[in-house]
Amino acid sequence: MSNLKMKEAALIYLDRSGGLQKFIDDCKYYNDSKQSYAVYRFKILINPSDVVELDAELGNHILHQPLKAAEVFQSVCFIAVKTLSLIGQLQTETQINIVLKLTHLPPLPSYGLDLCEFPLDYTSQRFYMMQGIVIAMTTVTKYTQGARFLCSDEACPLSKGFQYIRVHVPGATESATIRNDFLCNLCASSLQEDRKFRVLGDKQIVEIIATKALRAFQGYSNNQPFRFQSLTIFLRDESVNKMNIGNEYKIIGIPTCVKTSQPAVCIEANSIIFCNSKVPSGISDNFRCLLSLTSSSCWKFTAILANIFASQITPPGTYNLLKLCLLMSLVQTTDRNKELEDCLDILIITSDTLLIDRLLNFSINLVPRGIRHLVSTEIFPTLSRNKYGTGAVSIQAGSALLAKGGICFIGDLASHKKDKLEQLQTVLESRSITVYIPGKKFGEDIDQQMTFPVQCSFWSFVDMDSSSRRNAQKINTLIGQMDCSLIPANLVEAFGLLINCNESSPCHPFLPTVQHTLNKAINPEGLFYAASRQFTTEDFEKLLAFAKNLNVEFSLEAERMTHGYYLASRRIRTGSVCGSKLSASALKYLVFLSEAHARLNLRNKVLKEDVLIAALLFETSLTLKYGATVFCVAPNAVFPFELYNEEYLEQRDLYLTQCQQQLEQFIATYGPGTTIFSSDE
């Protein structure tokens, strides 16, 4: 009686949810097909909440005994086929293969599977929800979805018909569906497969890690040990190719233990949901107050941010130019699934690699996808053999794909080999990486290739005081040009910003840094500045999370100024022999820099004041690469004064206003076809 009641509830649910009509349409497809089938596969969408309200027992079966629940729906569907004469060729109930697809699970702790917790429950054969980031995936291969067997004894009644049908169930291996030792229940003779009725489906294997396991890739430790492991997800049929490396997903599936040469806990995926991060509601009260106090200027707020940023690593007022660029790069990261990312790549030339390394490492921990690449690992995807013996090639993510939507800090460029640097240059220029899969090596008939978008910003530095650099020093022939002879010129060009950080210059006072280092050695957890206590790391995290989700658009005068500067700068850097030194991506970087400065100011509109900062930063970078031009920009143009108080901020505003006038004059002189309007016009 209980089983009959559940069947009635299943039929009512199918009718109310529209599933019955979809089932009838699917049956019509099978019935109209000229092909003969041994197995008829039907996908039924299940909303557990609706089912539980309709019939608690059926809902309990779906959530906790999904295989038995599928049998209930199988019986209902078979009766429907026979009653309504939907499929003329169907003979037995076992020919119907029901796949229940869940829309969600109850938001209760018992339905969640934490990949960082031990042990994992893989014995209950019920649905769990888990969340993680894809770090590896295989190519698509085939598996046996269903097969027909016949008794080998021709005298046996079961040597004909569709009595012996085997279909894949969650957790089963290929040998559980196809084997040569099955026996007839009637005469005990061996069963033989009728191969012409074998049904094949697509299969893909994906590895994920828990989101909080990214701490292991961020180069940050709070002295709290933790463990993590990847979890294998089996995707089948319509779920294949629904997951991408680097993305975060919620997966509903059934845990199982796969018995291979390396037994492991795996998940048979049932439903896949792409995760979008929540947009923060706002910023801290301290930053809100600071924004209000500096609202009269388009430059003061970001100047103060750069001045006080990372005061745990370097004292306020030092490395302001670099810190501003880091903040602008951080606000160009995203938590949204965009096809193209507004990346700002930064290459730093320095003689204090230890401090720069600490500063960059601190910065990447302020965004969810800040990845510190280790030299012992790979930056870009690599190939390996799949450990489950399916014959598929496993593609491992690498640091760049793992940092999707964030920052990939690759450390010292000198630590990477020549071929890796060439690969990095190609990726910086194309924003994609192509993986070639040799068929002969991995048991395939043909070679394959897969292309992945690289959607992260790259940070790196070069040591000016390395022994090889000291021995190979050359004399610069152009004013302002930096010696980058040890780095391939095309690679330097591929980075959007080139920044010179020399602590002996007026922009980077040496003594405060020494005092800060000594204080940190004595008291590592100490907060030595008022800025550190007033504006915490959490405040900066909230600020960046809010700013990077702002949608910005250019004002008309900002757009004209951007194009005007680009055309003028391209014109004066174009030679008769080698052509223009400005790459096609130069305009793109100018746009990104302008947008970043507007976002950092928490504005939705890009103003010409933002374009000025972008132009000064970009021109400073061009001067380091190629030398100074008629639009001569000082190395400290963005921060001409040390920011001690309001008076110095006012002096900086006046200086930048003069720079803006010079930029407009430069555009008017060297930018043919452009017009710069004053605010009055």
Side-chain angles (χ1 to χ4, degrees):
M1 292 298 294
S2 174
N3 198 33
L4 180 60
K5 183 183 176 184
M6 283 196 292
K7 290 180 181 179
E8 291 177 355
L11 181 59
I12 294 172
Y13 174 77
L14 287 174
D15 186 35
R16 290 181 179 177
S17 65
L20 185 59
Q21 184 59 50
K22 183 181 182 303
F23 173 75
I24 293 173
D25 294 339
D26 292 342
C27 288
K28 187 176 185 301
Y29 166 80
Y30 281 121
N31 195 51
D32 293 344
S33 175
K34 296 179 180 180
Q35 183 179 347
S36 298
Y37 293 91
V39 180
Y40 299 87
R41 185 175 184 270
F42 299 96
K43 184 178 68 173
I44 298 177
L45 192 65
I46 298 291
N47 185 319
S49 300
D50 292 345
V51 177
V52 169
E53 287 185 10
L54 178 65
D55 186 274
E57 187 175 5
L58 178 60
N60 184 64
H61 267 65
I62 290 172
L63 293 173
H64 302 104
Q65 295 177 302
L67 298 183
K68 289 185 178 180
E71 292 176 359
V72 173
F73 280 90
Q74 180 189 43
S75 179
V76 170
C77 291
F78 177 71
I79 294 172
V81 170
K82 287 302 183 182
T83 303
L84 302 176
S85 302
L86 298 175
I87 304 176
Q89 308 98 310
L90 182 70
Q91 296 183 20
T92 64
E93 185 176 312
T94 55
Q95 288 181 265
I96 293 181
N97 180 18
I98 298 295
V99 179
L100 303 180
K101 290 285 184 179
L102 272 61
T103 58
H104 67 281
L105 286 179
L108 300 172
S110 59
Y111 291 97
L113 195 65
D114 192 335
L115 307 185
C116 292
E117 295 295 327
F118 185 84
L120 297 177
D121 179 15
Y122 56 88
T123 59
S124 59
Q125 285 284 292
R126 71 173 180 87
F127 288 116
Y128 285 90
M129 170 83 79
M130 62 229 69
Q131 185 169 335
I133 297 167
V134 178
I135 63 169
M137 65 192 308
T138 67
T139 52
V140 178
T141 57
K142 296 293 183 180
Y143 81 102
T144 302
Q145 202 179 82
R148 175 198 188 193
F149 285 83
L150 299 172
C151 181
S152 58
D153 187 353
E154 295 183 359
C156 179
L158 301 183
S159 62
K160 299 176 182 179
F162 294 87
Q163 298 298 322
Y164 291 120
I165 300 295
R166 297 192 65 84
V167 295
H168 172 81
V169 295
T173 60
E174 185 74 5
S175 62
T177 309
I178 301 294
R179 233 174 31 235
N180 57 11
D181 60 349
F182 296 128
L183 299 178
C184 178
N185 293 332
L186 188 61
C187 66
S189 299
S190 62
L191 297 182
Q192 293 179 342
E193 183 193 357
D194 187 356
R195 290 183 178 272
K196 67 176 179 289
F197 282 101
R198 181 184 290 191
V199 182
L200 298 179
D202 292 329
K203 177 179 67 175
Q204 189 176 31
I205 301 175
V206 168
E207 287 187 46
I208 66 171
I209 59 170
T211 307
K212 59 185 177 182
L214 279 180
R215 287 183 297 167
F217 302 93
Q218 292 184 314
Y220 173 77
S221 173
N222 57 0
N223 297 321
Q224 295 294 324
F226 68 98
R227 63 176 293 277
F228 77 93
Q229 68 182 53
S230 65
L231 188 67
T232 302
I233 309 293
F234 280 82
L235 306 179
R236 299 185 189 274
D237 304 307
E238 59 276 346
S239 296
V240 163
N241 289 327
K242 290 293 180 65
M243 301 176 78
N244 295 318
I245 291 181
N247 281 353
E248 185 176 0
Y249 298 91
K250 290 180 180 178
I251 301 116
I252 298 174
I254 300 176
T256 183
C257 183
V258 176
K259 296 179 181 178
T260 60
S261 57
Q262 296 179 334
V265 177
C266 305
I267 302 292
E268 281 274 352
N270 180 271
S271 301
I272 301 167
I273 306 165
F274 178 79
C275 293
N276 271 316
S277 299
K278 295 180 180 179
V279 178
S281 57
I283 59 177
S284 67
D285 292 337
N286 286 333
F287 274 131
R288 190 177 290 107
C289 179
L290 179 62
L291 183 64
S292 176
L293 292 173
T294 57
S295 59
S296 60
S297 168
C298 294
W299 297 310
K300 288 181 180 179
F301 183 69
T302 53
I304 296 174
L305 287 182
N307 191 66
I308 64 177
F309 178 60
S311 58
Q312 300 90 333
I313 308 299
T314 180
T318 58
Y319 295 100
N320 280 353
L321 177 63
L322 173 59
K323 290 191 290 185
L324 176 63
C325 293
L326 294 179
L327 287 169
M328 291 171 67
S329 183
L330 289 170
V331 296
Q332 288 297 95
T333 62
T334 181
D335 298 327
R336 294 163 291 181
N337 188 28
K338 293 170 60 179
E339 290 185 3
L340 295 176
E341 304 301 334
D342 305 337
C343 305
L344 282 180
D345 308 308
I346 299 177
L347 178 60
I348 305 160
I349 300 177
T350 182
S351 57
D352 191 350
T353 56
L354 180 60
L355 185 60
I356 296 301
D357 184 271
R358 288 174 178 171
L359 179 57
L360 269 59
N361 202 78
F362 171 84
S363 301
I364 63 172
N365 280 276
L366 298 178
V367 291
R369 291 295 188 94
I371 302 297
R372 182 189 176 96
H373 170 72
L374 301 177
V375 180
S376 58
T377 60
E378 296 291 337
I379 303 178
F380 302 112
T382 55
L383 302 178
S384 64
R385 293 190 181 276
N386 172 37
K387 64 183 179 181
Y388 293 99
T390 61
V393 181
S394 180
I395 303 169
Q396 307 295 319
S399 300
L401 296 190
L402 201 58
K404 183 174 183 178
I407 306 292
C408 183
F409 173 31
I410 60 176
D412 190 347
L413 274 187
S415 63
H416 302 283
K417 295 182 179 179
K418 182 180 178 182
D419 60 328
K420 299 299 180 185
L421 294 180
E422 292 174 351
Q423 193 177 32
L424 174 62
Q425 177 193 326
T426 302
V427 169
L428 289 173
E429 293 171 346
S430 65
R431 287 293 157 188
S432 64
I433 180 71
T434 300
V435 179
Y436 295 93
I437 305 173
K440 187 176 295 184
K441 180 178 179 181
F442 292 98
E444 298 288 340
D445 296 331
I446 58 174
D447 296 341
Q448 301 181 59
Q449 69 178 44
M450 297 180 69
T451 300
F452 300 93
V454 179
Q455 300 171 332
C456 68
S457 297
F458 290 92
W459 291 355
S460 185
F461 60 82
V462 177
D463 186 4
M464 289 180 61
D465 288 345
S466 64
S467 57
S468 55
R469 176 170 293 276
R470 287 196 299 267
N471 296 334
Q473 195 76 17
K474 72 173 185 179
I475 299 175
N476 294 322
T477 56
L478 298 176
I479 298 173
Q481 187 177 18
M482 198 75 192
D483 176 21
C484 301
S485 56
L486 293 182
I487 314 167
N490 291 336
L491 179 58
V492 175
E493 173 60 35
F495 277 90
L497 282 180
L498 180 65
I499 302 173
N500 178 27
C501 286
N502 181 5
E503 73 275 9
S504 62
S505 69
C507 305
H508 307 111
F510 189 69
L511 186 58
T513 303
V514 174
Q515 292 174 336
H516 176 87
T517 304
L518 291 174
N519 289 333
K520 273 291 183 181
I522 297 171
N523 184 8
E525 303 299 326
L527 300 176
F528 308 114
Y529 314 102
S532 304
R533 295 184 289 272
Q534 188 174 1
F535 301 99
T536 64
T537 303
E538 290 73 22
D539 290 341
F540 271 99
E541 287 179 355
K542 289 181 64 176
L543 175 73
L544 293 172
F546 180 78
K548 70 183 181 181
N549 284 290
L550 292 174
N551 293 316
V552 297
E553 59 180 15
F554 271 74
S555 63
L556 181 60
E557 58 182 7
E559 187 174 346
R560 285 175 171 166
M561 182 176 283
T562 301
H563 285 87
Y565 167 70
Y566 170 74
L567 293 173
S569 186
R570 185 177 178 86
R571 182 182 183 187
I572 63 174
R573 284 190 167 86
T574 299
S576 57
V577 178
C578 59
S580 176
K581 294 180 180 178
L582 259 67
S583 66
S585 60
L587 180 60
K588 177 183 68 175
Y589 278 116
L590 281 169
V591 171
F592 293 167
L593 285 167
S594 302
E595 290 178 345
H597 193 263
R599 283 195 176 100
L600 203 55
N601 270 298
L602 307 182
R603 279 191 272 101
N604 295 101
K605 182 81 71 174
V606 177
L607 307 177
K608 63 180 183 179
E609 288 82 0
D610 301 309
V611 178
L612 172 67
I613 297 297
L616 293 177
L617 291 174
F618 195 71
E619 189 67 30
T620 302
S621 178
L622 290 178
T623 302
L624 292 173
K625 294 176 182 178
Y626 311 117
T629 60
V630 290
F631 183 49
C632 190
V633 173
N636 61 338
V638 179
F639 289 96
F641 311 105
E642 296 180 21
L643 305 180
Y644 290 124
N645 53 36
E646 178 68 20
E647 180 183 350
Y648 289 92
L649 286 172
E650 291 292 343
Q651 291 182 15
R652 178 176 180 267
D653 275 13
L654 291 174
Y655 177 84
L656 291 176
T657 302
Q658 294 173 2
C659 289
Q660 186 163 311
Q661 295 170 357
Q662 294 172 8
L663 175 60
E664 292 176 355
Q665 182 61 44
F666 170 68
I667 294 172
T669 305
Y670 294 96
T674 62
T675 305
I676 303 300
F677 292 98
S678 68
S679 57
D680 294 337
E681 292 171 322

